[in-house]
Amino acid sequence: MARISISTYFFVLPDLFFVNAQHQIHQLDSLFICPQFMLVLEIKNIHGRLEFDHRTHQCIRTKVDGTVEGFPNALTQVQRHMRFLSGLTTHYSLSIEGAVVIANPSTIITHSANTCIPIFHRSGLHAHLHSLFQKHPQRLLSDHQLRQLVQELQRKQQPTEMPMTIAPSRLRHGVLCPKCMFQNCMHFDRGIWKCSYCHYRSREIFAEALQDYRLLISRTITNQQLRAFFYIHSSDAATRLLRKFQFPYSGTYKNRVYHLPVNLVDYMKEFF
């Protein structure tokens, strides 16, 4: 719990995971809760030029080399989470706001003026919060009620993983080639995964393989574990690979442990 002013406390709840009555998943990057309002934050680390189209509900990314890609629209995701939270917190009278925060400072944001959800770089978060406190000046919850709401939300979270019942030693290691029906293991060479049998090449295939590792082995990984499981011979190459995706980590350089996000494939897609 942190203090934002003399009389206002707030909570920031990261990585919330809920399942609604229709068995649909709501995975919130971050939720800011204070006695005046709640703020749903969808955080994106996509680089390039981003265009948010409210009519097609799509996010279009244009890279520096001119490559154009489509992503699920973060604006739609935020609105969906806001509707879900509204039904989940009916006993509380807090207004629910939403915003999309772009974490990469080099990203250029272009979007239609008709969008009702603000989109801004992370440097604008403080100013946006200030404007929300001006918009919602009245405290609607006591500190006790605020803590009660936070505890209720935490209790309603769903487990994101099933307990592991297969010994890791029985699992096939490495990045398996999809073109070979996952029969052959690919090798890592200068940032690209290559299959020696069918000559298939891919950078993105690593995201799927690492997601499998997270689900089947562990939610964390070290340099040594990465090299052992994915057959990477160079410690420096493994370090560069882990740093590329900016995974959160703990520990010093020699005993550093990298924490793998829940939505790993989507998270890593933004770095390719």
Side-chain angles (χ1 to χ4, degrees):
M1 185 166 59
R3 184 181 292 271
I4 197 166
S5 69
I6 295 177
S7 59
T8 301
Y9 290 93
F10 68 89
F11 288 85
V12 177
L13 305 182
D15 299 323
L16 292 174
F17 188 93
F18 300 101
V19 179
N20 64 21
Q22 291 74 39
H23 304 288
Q24 297 171 329
I25 293 174
H26 290 268
Q27 187 171 333
L28 283 66
D29 288 341
S30 189
L31 180 63
F32 178 95
I33 309 178
C34 66
Q36 291 91 336
F37 59 87
M38 286 191 286
L39 174 62
V40 178
L41 294 172
E42 185 73 17
I43 303 170
K44 297 297 183 183
N45 198 26
I46 311 175
H47 60 85
R49 184 182 184 91
L50 301 182
E51 178 183 356
F52 294 88
D53 194 323
H54 73 285
R55 294 168 298 180
T56 62
H57 300 282
Q58 188 179 32
C59 172
I60 301 170
R61 191 251 303 260
T62 304
K63 293 184 177 180
V64 177
D65 62 5
T67 304
V68 179
E69 296 178 315
F71 290 85
N73 196 328
L75 300 173
T76 305
Q77 292 175 310
V78 170
Q79 291 170 329
R80 178 172 168 267
H81 296 330
M82 290 170 64
R83 288 192 296 269
F84 172 72
L85 281 176
S86 179
L88 199 65
T89 59
T90 53
H91 298 301
Y92 300 90
S93 55
L94 288 182
S95 295
I96 301 176
E97 301 280 352
V100 176
V101 180
I102 305 300
N104 193 318
S106 66
T107 301
I108 299 174
I109 306 170
T110 63
H111 64 91
S112 170
N114 294 326
T115 57
C116 58
I117 301 295
I119 309 166
F120 47 81
H121 281 282
R122 62 183 179 183
S123 59
L125 181 56
H126 184 272
H128 182 65
L129 283 171
H130 181 72
S131 68
L132 288 179
F133 278 106
Q134 291 182 321
K135 179 181 177 181
H136 305 284
Q138 183 179 357
R139 288 176 57 98
L140 301 175
L141 299 180
S142 66
D143 290 341
H144 172 74
Q145 290 172 319
L146 183 64
R147 289 191 293 268
Q148 190 176 39
L149 170 58
V150 169
Q151 292 169 0
E152 185 175 326
L153 288 173
Q154 290 174 330
R155 285 196 302 268
K156 290 182 177 179
Q157 281 201 91
Q158 300 293 321
T160 59
E161 299 175 4
M162 297 296 290
M164 184 62 184
T165 58
I166 303 174
S169 59
R170 297 181 58 189
L171 300 173
R172 292 188 63 190
H173 291 199
V175 175
L176 304 180
C177 178
K179 298 295 182 181
C180 295
M181 301 301 294
F182 306 101
Q183 295 302 308
N184 299 310
C185 187
M186 305 176 73
H187 66 277
F188 184 66
D189 181 26
R190 298 181 182 180
I192 301 176
W193 296 90
K194 304 176 181 178
C195 178
S196 301
Y197 294 88
C198 72
H199 306 295
Y200 173 69
R201 298 155 59 95
S202 174
R203 297 180 188 272
E204 292 82 357
I205 191 67
F206 178 58
E208 298 180 17
L210 193 59
Q211 173 76 351
D212 292 340
Y213 177 93
R214 187 189 187 282
L215 293 173
L216 298 173
I217 305 296
S218 173
R219 291 177 290 180
T220 63
I221 195 167
T222 64
N223 183 298
Q224 183 179 2
Q225 290 168 338
L226 179 74
R227 286 183 283 126
F229 192 87
F230 293 103
Y231 304 119
I232 298 175
H233 302 296
S234 168
S235 176
D236 290 339
T239 297
R240 288 194 296 271
L241 190 60
L242 289 167
R243 288 180 175 176
K244 172 182 178 179
F245 299 103
Q246 300 179 20
F247 295 131
Y249 61 84
S250 57
T252 60
Y253 181 79
K254 291 185 177 181
N255 62 352
R256 183 164 294 179
V257 177
Y258 295 87
H259 302 265
L260 304 177
V262 177
N263 53 339
L264 194 57
V265 173
D266 289 339
Y267 173 89
M268 293 175 65
K269 182 178 180 181
E270 301 169 1
F271 293 90
F272 290 117

